Every structure is written in structure tokens, then in C-alpha cells.
Amino acid sequence: MRLLSFLIAGIALVSQVSAQDLNPEASVEKHHYQSDIARLRKIVINSLYSHRDVFLRELISNANDALEKLRLTSLTNKDVWDGTPLNITIRTVNGEDGTSGRLVITDNGIGMTPEEMARNLGTLAKSGTAEFLAQAEGSPESTTNGHLIGAFGLGFYSSFLVADQVYVASVPAKTLENPNPQQYTFSSSSDDNDFATYPDPRGKTLERGTEITLVLKPDALEYLEHHTVIELINKHSVFSSSFPIYLFQQREEEVSEESVTDIPVDNERVTENAEDEAVIEEVEESQTKETKKKTILVDDWAHLNAQPPLWTRDSKNITSIEYQLFYQATFRDFKAQSLAWNHFSGDLGSGVSFRALLYIPGKLPDDFWHGSQTTSTTGIRLMVKRTFITSDLGEDYLPKWASWVKAIIDADDLPLNVSRETLQNASFLRQIKQAILKRIIQTFTKIAEDEPDKFAEVQKVYGTVFKLGAVEDAKNSDKLVPLIRYATNQRNSTSLDEYVENKKAGQKQIFYVSDAGKSVSSLAKSVFVEKLHARGYEVLLLTDPLDEVLLHHLRKWKGIPFQDAAKVGLLFGDEEIDLEEERIRQAENKEKFGPLLNWLKKQAEGIVRDVIISDRLVTSPCAVVADAGGYTANVQRIMSATNKGQQTNNAMFEFARRQKVLELNPRSPLIEGLLRRVEQLPGEDEEVDLEAEDELKEVASILIDGALVRSGFEVPDSDEFLVRVDRVLRRSLGVSETAPTDTTVKPAPPVDPVILDESEYEPKLDPVVDGSLEQADDKPSVILPDALKDKIQIDIEELADDFPIHDEL
């Protein structure tokens, strides 16, 4: 212990000495960090942004900030703005040689003095917006609630991604100190290590604001194309600016010139009679007007952001038509209108608030069910202060069932990298994901509760999607299941909650029967439904492949297990009421039909596991049901289609496939008749009638195969089954079973290796036999169905060889 205390004291002493050595009060020499400004500038230009398309977004954001600064400043200084409309304009100028061009972005915002240009544009990471905000926050009359985007002071340098030379001309707003500001120009190139500011040699071309002229690089001339500029603005900046953005365009327009040539005629002759009455002789006037047209260029300013950011407005003041128009214009979905939308805002609890507008499309993407299992969410547009950030949120960001959603998420502030292209906060994305899924479910639930007719339309598009979501999304499964609707033997549509409310007294199971691809009306006639329907029990009729998967996934609903009516173990819930009487009846049937059960077990060996007396049948003589560990016909088909035959060598699959039971209806006349024939069979010591026994086995085979078909299974040998049916039909019609069918057919002609002319292979139509209008000498013909022969007359005119034919454009 004494040694340990000594070591601790020694360590403490060393720590004190080290702390004294690092004491800032000691004599030190401070230095400023040094950097190669030119090299740092090249790194910013060439390595900061992943895509050079973003340059236009950055410059428009800067222009928006200049306009917003003017508006905010004018609240406390009326001299800076006279109320003229504020806007951003874009102009493209093609070079005369076709290998050069300029892109000009202009705003009539706050403008800059020569000193501000040198400070803001000539200093890396110097943000004029950040400085403005800092000054405004320190002002007693702070008005910082404007829409200001800039934060890093690097956006201007994205210009050099596409331009070799950049000129910035600017005129600051008027003030009392500077009532007549002058226009100065900032000039720099991508390779220069310096920049210049000087009075603009053009004079004062701007009333106020800033004009940026980009001399485009040879490989950046695509940005002179109007459609490229429009596409970039629609992608990145259509909502970012609170002010209108205009693109200068020139379009050709035809105008008419009228020259009137008068032909000499006698005009109206007016004469006066003795009574001074005017007599007018009407003479026709003839004039010939010759109309000429010429093409002129018309200047036009196209408004690129006319569609306002709808999510920023109060939903109470927005009409459904506005919502629909915004959906179509923003997401370019003109095939179907949106079924519903959800306009909401929220706060993620970390100081990040957002507004969102979520749309439910009127149809699913064409490849939704046929695409890959991985999902790429492109319908969600993530924005910060109305500036587009990204729509690529990564694979499987949303589960498959919700990947179709269209939404705009606009956050007030997010931790972005300086290029604004990467969100550096994964927790925000997780929170947004949960918010989107929650709102989707809320939207559907509200429609289901308030608009039943509209929800019927929703079911047509998203009914199967709800089932997929309930299977794959464990967190939201309990919320999606109530949205699913099923047809039953009693109702066209019901939810599981409504089914539970309608269950019978003592009912402890939710009954269902499934057959993918079958119609509801056909499934309602299933042999497995007849007893349940006759007794008044409701049965879910499942016709979708996902239905069976979902019910196996859920296992129970509201604590009530699901029961496949095509499997053994069917209980109605009232068996214990007459328990003793039921036991007596079962014992009597077992004893009465014992010989038939034992005989049929031998005939059905390898096809079913057991033969029993049924309590589920009413009119049908028999049915094949799956055992507790076996596959129903529907599950067997689904597994066969899924595994594409690979399960044939799977021992477990073969075992489960054979776990079937043949159930007989003891009240069926057919079964009673079969029992009598079996009882009449000779015993071991009696003479065997082979013909009668073979005939009875054949009847039993048809009965078993028919039960398989009636229950949805495939027969072991369909050809043999049809041969047996043919023999039974012959016997019933009194036709000899051995009578042969005439199988003589006309043989094919002998082999001919000669290849004929192509025209010889074209079939000739008989105008009488085939109902065509074909005439002799191979004229064109039209084949009509018999019902239209007397109602339609078609005349075909042959064109001359020199008849002019023009291709449609």
C-alpha cells in the first residue's frame, strides 16, 4: 500500500510539471495561419462540387439574397428602394463564331460598392449574407425573418466550373451618404491569382443591383440552350427564390401586311332633285385585297418560377384544383390525378422545423410489381429554404410498399456540407422517414373513415400495397392491416375489424378460403365454404397471392386465430353444446361407413394420408383437405411458382404435399351408393368378379380425382383420369368401351426440297368462303366479320404510280 501511494504521488507531481510547461501565460510567439490563396481557390473551384450544374443554383441563390437584403433594409431605410418590382433575369448570348458564348444573370437587389465587391468576391469563405445576418441580429430593430440562403461565402466560385472569365458589374442602392452611386466591375479568370475592380467602361447600365457575366468554357456551351437553363432551374431553383425569375427569349412570329389595290369603279352618285331630296343609286364596289406575311423576331421574357411554393402557404387558403395543378406541374404526372394529399409541418425536436406536402399518386409506377426488390426513392424532394438539395436518399430509404410516394420536404436549416449536395445528419433522414410513413397511413385512414366511396377507388390501386406493407413493415403492420378490405360470402368488402364485430357467439376462429387468381364469385362456391355458408358463418374469400402470405404472417387478429377452411381442424365454436349427441353420431357414422373408409384408403394410397367422415360438407359428396402440417392447393401452387420446380427434390416439400385427407359426406347419395357396392364385394372365401371389381375401382378413382379437382389440386395423371371418364360416359350411353375411333387422316405430300418464290407462300383468300373483298388479279382485299358484311361497304382505289405521297412528321 505504501508503494502504491508513492507511485500515485509521483504521477500527480509529473502532471503538475507538465501542466506548468503548457501554461499559456508562459512566453510564447504567436503566428497567423498561412495559405496559398491561389491554390486554395483552385481546390474550392475544382473539388468542392460534384456536379457543375449547381453553378446556376448558387448564383440564383446569391441573387435572391441580394433582393431579400434590399427588401429587409428598406424596412428601416426607405431611401434604398423606391418600390420598383424586384426580379432576377437570365440572358444567353451566343458568340458569332458559334464556339463561344456568355450567360448573364442580373438582379436589381442591394448591389455592392467597389469595396464590398473586393471583400465579398475576393475573399474566400466571406459570406455577405452571414455578415448581414450578424449585423441584423445585433441591431435593436432586427428584421431577420427574410428568406436568406447564403451561408458559406463560396457559391460565387462555382461560376468558374463553367466559365473561363467572370465579370461582375454592380451598382449599390442609393443612400443619403451616396445618392448617386457609380457602377463598378469585378473581373477575374479561373487561372488568375488576382482580380481587378474598376469603373465599368460601359457607364451606368444598371439602375441598381448586380450583373454577373460568365464567359463560358468551350465544353460548357450547352448552358446557352434555353431548355438546359429551364431544366436546371426547374430542378434546383424553381422554388428557391421569393422573386420572379425571367429568361430572355426570342421567338419568330408571322405578321400580315395588307396592300389594298382599288379597281376603278363608279362610286355612289348623289344627285339632288328639285325638292332637294337626295337620291342614292347603289353601285357595287369591288376591291381586291392582297395579304402578305413576313416573319419577325419578338422579344419575350419567360417567367420560369410562376408556380409558387404551395407548401409554404396556409392549407386553408388552397383549393383542391391548386393542389392538383401543383402536383402535375411539379412531378410531371399527367396520366392520373393525385388521389389525395397531406399538407403538414413539424419540428423534429432538435431545433429543425420543416414543412411538407405529400401526395398519393393516382396510379402505381409501371414497374412497381415487376422491378427489383431494392427500391430507389426518387419521388421525395428534400429542400432547405426552398432550395433543392437532393432526391436521392439512398436505396431502400423507404420500404417497397411506400416507395411510390411523392413529397416535398422543406427544412428551415439542415447540417449540409458546403456544396449543399450532402446531408450530414442521418438522424434527420430517419426522423423524416418515420414522419412520411406516418402521414401516408394517416391519409389513407382518414379517407377510409370520411370518404367510403373514394376509399373504394383507393383500394383498386393500393389494396395489394397495404398487404405488402403489412408483411414487410413490422413497425406499421398493425396500422396497415385495418386498411385492407376483403370480399366474403356475405359482403363485397369488409375489414378484419368489421369481421370480428360480425362473428358468431362462441366463434373462436376467423374463417377463410384462398385460391389465387380465382374470381370471388367462383371461390364463394367452393366446397370448403358450403357448410360455413349454410350455417351463416362469414368466410373471407382470398384471391390475391399475398393474402395467404399475410395471414400466415399475422397468425391472429384481435387475439382470434385464422383458420383455413381447406384444412382439417374446422371448428364452428358450438360443438360443446350437444357434445354427447355429436359423439354418438360420429361413432355411428364411423361404424356404418367403416368398410368404405378402409376400402378407399387402399384405393387412395399415395394420394391422401387418410379417409374420414366429414362434418364440413353439405351437398358435395367428398373433398380433399390439407392436414395441419400439409399444403393447401393454393399454397402448393404458390410454392411451385416461387421455386420454379426446384422443390421436386425437396423431401420436406414432398412430405407436406402428401399430407392430405379425403373427407366423405355421409349424407350424400353417391357415398351411400358407393358404400352399398363395397359391402357387396365378395369376401376372401367367395368367388371374385374381376370385371365388377375393376369397374368399382374405376368409379373410386374418378371420385378421388374429382375430389382433387374440386378442392383445387392437380390429379396425379390427367390423361388416365380423362380415359376413365371416357369409359364411364361410354357405359352410360350404351356405347361399347372397345369400339375404336376412326383415326384415318389425309397424309402430307411427299418431301419437296425446292424453295419457292416468296409470293408463292402467301395464302390466297376466297372472297366467298373467307368473307373478303378480294377480287381477281390479286387486288387488295379487306376481310370483314359476318356480322358486318351487309352493313359496311369499302371502296379501294388504286393510286397511280406518280401519285405524290408525303410522309407524316
Side-chain angles (χ1 to χ4, degrees), residues 44 48-66 88 105 107 129 149-161 212 214 232-233 236-237 240 384 387-389 416-421:
V44 170
L48 182 62
Y49 297 97
S50 306
H51 307 282
R52 65 178 184 175
D53 286 350
V54 301
F55 83 94
L56 191 56
R57 179 195 71 187
E58 295 298 310
L59 296 182
I60 289 177
S61 296
N62 289 346
N64 173 83
D65 285 359
I88 302 169
I105 299 97
D107 69 76
T129 296
I149 302 172
F152 300 110
L154 296 172
F156 168 73
Y157 298 100
S158 64
S159 304
F160 296 102
L161 294 171
I212 300 178
L214 308 180
L232 290 181
I233 291 177
H236 294 287
S237 306
S240 65
V384 174
T387 299
F388 175 78
I389 301 301
L416 301 172
N417 68 347
V418 292
S419 69
R420 305 179 194 269
E421 296 171 343

Side-chain angles (χ1 to χ4, degrees), residues 239-250:
F239 302 116
S240 65
S241 177
S242 307
F243 308 96
I245 303 173
Y246 296 101
L247 174 65
F248 178 77
Q249 296 177 328
Q250 285 187 321

Side-chain angles (χ1 to χ4, degrees), residues 278-513:
V279 178
I280 301 177
E281 296 181 12
E282 295 184 0
V283 180
E284 292 185 359
E285 180 178 331
S286 175
Q287 291 184 341
T288 300
K289 297 182 178 180
E290 297 180 0
T291 303
K292 296 181 179 179
K293 292 185 178 180
K294 67 176 182 179
T295 302
I296 62 173
L297 288 177
V298 178
D299 294 345
D300 186 27
W301 288 96
H303 191 180
L304 302 185
N305 61 339
Q307 181 68 49
L310 210 62
W311 66 88
T312 62
R313 293 168 51 188
D314 189 342
S315 59
K316 297 178 182 178
N317 301 324
I318 306 175
T319 65
S320 59
I321 295 178
E322 288 181 291
Y323 277 118
Q324 290 287 8
L325 291 176
F326 181 83
Y327 169 74
Q328 293 181 339
T330 304
F331 297 103
R332 298 293 188 267
D333 185 0
F334 302 102
K335 295 181 180 180
Q337 289 190 333
S338 171
L339 287 177
W341 49 84
N342 196 317
H343 190 170
F344 62 99
S345 60
D347 191 330
L348 299 180
S350 57
V352 177
S353 59
F354 68 93
R355 288 176 173 269
L357 182 53
L358 178 148
Y359 281 99
I360 308 295
K363 63 186 292 294
L364 291 171
D366 295 334
D367 61 345
F368 181 81
W369 295 110
H370 307 290
S372 61
Q373 294 299 318
T374 58
T375 60
S376 179
T377 305
T378 58
I380 298 178
R381 298 190 175 188
L382 183 61
M383 298 187 171
V384 174
K385 293 183 178 179
R386 303 204 295 270
T387 299
F388 175 78
I389 301 301
T390 184
S391 60
D392 183 10
L393 302 179
E395 288 187 355
D396 299 325
Y397 174 67
L398 289 179
K400 173 78 172 179
W401 74 268
S403 60
W404 41 261
V405 70
K406 306 291 186 184
I408 290 179
I409 309 295
D410 186 11
D412 292 337
D413 189 20
L414 284 180
L416 301 172
N417 68 347
V418 292
S419 69
R420 305 179 194 269
E421 296 171 343
T422 304
L423 181 64
Q424 297 179 324
N425 186 357
S427 63
F428 172 79
L429 290 179
R430 288 194 298 269
Q431 291 171 310
I432 283 294
K433 172 184 175 180
Q434 297 305 320
I436 291 173
L437 295 177
K438 178 181 177 181
R439 289 292 174 166
I440 292 175
I441 297 174
Q442 285 181 354
T443 303
F444 283 128
T445 302
K446 190 174 187 303
I447 297 174
E449 295 173 352
D450 301 340
E451 303 176 79
D453 293 340
K454 186 174 183 179
F455 192 69
E457 298 179 21
V458 169
Q459 280 294 320
K460 294 177 182 178
V461 181
Y462 294 98
T464 308
V465 172
F466 297 150
K467 300 170 188 176
L468 174 65
V471 172
E472 72 168 353
D473 190 351
K475 291 183 178 179
N476 295 296
S477 180
D478 290 344
K479 300 173 184 177
L480 287 167
V481 170
L483 297 173
I484 301 171
R485 298 292 181 267
Y486 292 108
T488 73
N489 59 319
Q490 298 178 356
R491 291 181 280 186
N492 292 329
S493 177
T494 185
S495 65
L496 291 182
D497 290 336
E498 292 171 336
Y499 180 97
V500 171
E501 294 173 0
N502 193 51
K503 70 181 183 67
K504 303 297 182 181
Q507 180 180 345
K508 298 178 181 179
Q509 295 171 313
I510 298 176
F511 303 114
Y512 73 91
V513 63

Side-chain angles (χ1 to χ4, degrees), residues 54-191:
V54 301
F55 83 94
L56 191 56
R57 179 195 71 187
E58 295 298 310
L59 296 182
I60 289 177
S61 296
N62 289 346
N64 173 83
D65 285 359
L67 295 168
E68 192 68 16
K69 291 175 191 176
L70 178 68
R71 187 186 68 82
L72 294 174
T73 304
S74 68
L75 298 178
T76 56
N77 186 354
K78 305 296 183 182
D79 296 328
V80 298
W81 181 31
D82 57 3
T84 55
L86 304 179
N87 56 61
I88 302 169
T89 63
I90 302 173
R91 182 190 294 264
T92 60
V93 181
N94 291 283
E96 295 181 358
D97 55 357
T99 60
S100 62
R102 292 173 290 138
L103 186 65
V104 184
I105 299 97
T106 308
D107 69 76
N108 56 349
I110 193 71
M112 291 180 286
T113 63
E115 296 75 20
E116 289 172 332
M117 282 196 293
R119 184 169 64 251
N120 295 336
L121 305 181
T123 306
L124 288 176
K126 181 66 174 179
S127 172
T129 296
E131 184 178 355
F132 178 85
L133 288 172
Q135 293 176 355
E137 289 174 0
S139 172
E141 299 178 356
S142 176
T143 55
T144 59
N145 58 347
H147 178 61
L148 294 167
I149 302 172
F152 300 110
L154 296 172
F156 168 73
Y157 298 100
S158 64
S159 304
F160 296 102
L161 294 171
V162 298
D164 286 323
Q165 185 78 30
V166 177
Y167 298 96
V168 181
S170 189
V171 178
K174 296 178 181 180
T175 61
L176 293 176
E177 296 79 10
N178 188 10
N180 187 26
Q182 299 301 307
Q183 182 168 319
Y184 274 75
T185 296
F186 169 97
S187 174
S188 180
S189 70
S190 56
D191 297 326

Side-chain angles (χ1 to χ4, degrees), residues 589 592-593 595-597 600 613 618-622 664-680 696 699 703:
N589 284 333
K592 176 181 177 180
F593 291 92
L596 176 60
L597 296 177
L600 279 177
I613 298 299
V618 178
T619 59
S620 301
C622 56
L664 306 180
N665 183 359
R667 294 178 294 180
S668 170
L670 180 61
I671 299 301
E672 291 181 344
L674 187 60
L675 172 63
R676 288 193 298 269
R677 290 291 301 273
V678 170
E679 290 176 337
Q680 294 171 3
L696 186 60
V699 171
L703 181 72

